[in-house]
Amino acid sequence: VQLQASGGGLVQAGGSLRLSCAVSGRTSRSYAMGWFRQSPGKGREFVGSISWNEGNTYYLDSMKGRFTISRDNAKNTMYLQMNSLKPEDTAVYYCAAGNRWPLAYNGVDYWGKGTQVTVSS
């Protein structure tokens, strides 16, 4: 399974971005997908997860209301819609896949390369 994240960039505080994660290779509809992020000097933080088959979602509490994960099965793509962005959301965002729901750091089987999101104040 290969994961390719894209859509990062520079945005002002209060703005929005949508990240995409294209999935290719040998995939299974039972996979759980998710997003993590890592700021300089910090560990990789869970953002949220989606079940590929049912589309159920699960978020870190601090992400609820601003971040929304969705997927398009036909396009084999997962999305992270980020609204009302804050400078503290600045991080490298990674998409990931695993076989256990909800996806957690120790359950990740595949990582995509990250995409940088920078939120200016």
Side-chain angles (χ1 to χ4, degrees):
V1 175
Q2 292 81 45
L3 309 174
Q4 180 64 53
S6 61
L10 174 64
V11 63
Q12 287 188 332
S16 298
L17 273 178
R18 188 177 80 156
L19 306 183
S20 299
C21 177
V23 183
S24 60
R26 190 173 181 178
T27 59
S28 166
R29 290 296 184 231
S30 64
Y31 265 110
M33 304 282 298
W35 291 94
F36 294 77
R37 70 184 186 183
Q38 188 165 15
S39 304
K42 296 185 179 181
R44 199 162 292 189
E45 177 184 38
F46 173 77
V47 173
S49 178
I50 188 166
S51 61
W52 192 257
N53 207 24
E54 297 84 9
N56 298 323
T57 54
Y58 178 82
Y59 301 93
L60 189 68
D61 282 347
S62 60
M63 311 296 176
K64 291 180 181 178
R66 296 193 301 124
F67 290 8
T68 303
I69 298 175
S70 61
R71 90 274 187 253
D72 185 329
N73 287 13
K75 295 182 178 180
N76 275 353
T77 302
M78 175 180 65
Y79 303 98
L80 176 64
Q81 177 68 43
M82 303 184 293
N83 299 326
S84 302
L85 283 163
K86 305 174 182 179
E88 50 265 41
D89 293 319
T90 295
V92 177
Y93 284 72
Y94 299 88
C95 58
N99 210 21
R100 291 167 58 184
W101 167 259
L103 189 65
Y105 184 85
N106 58 4
V108 173
D109 295 321
Y110 302 97
W111 290 100
K113 291 184 180 180
T115 184
Q116 176 71 46
V117 172
T118 303
V119 184
S120 62
S121 57

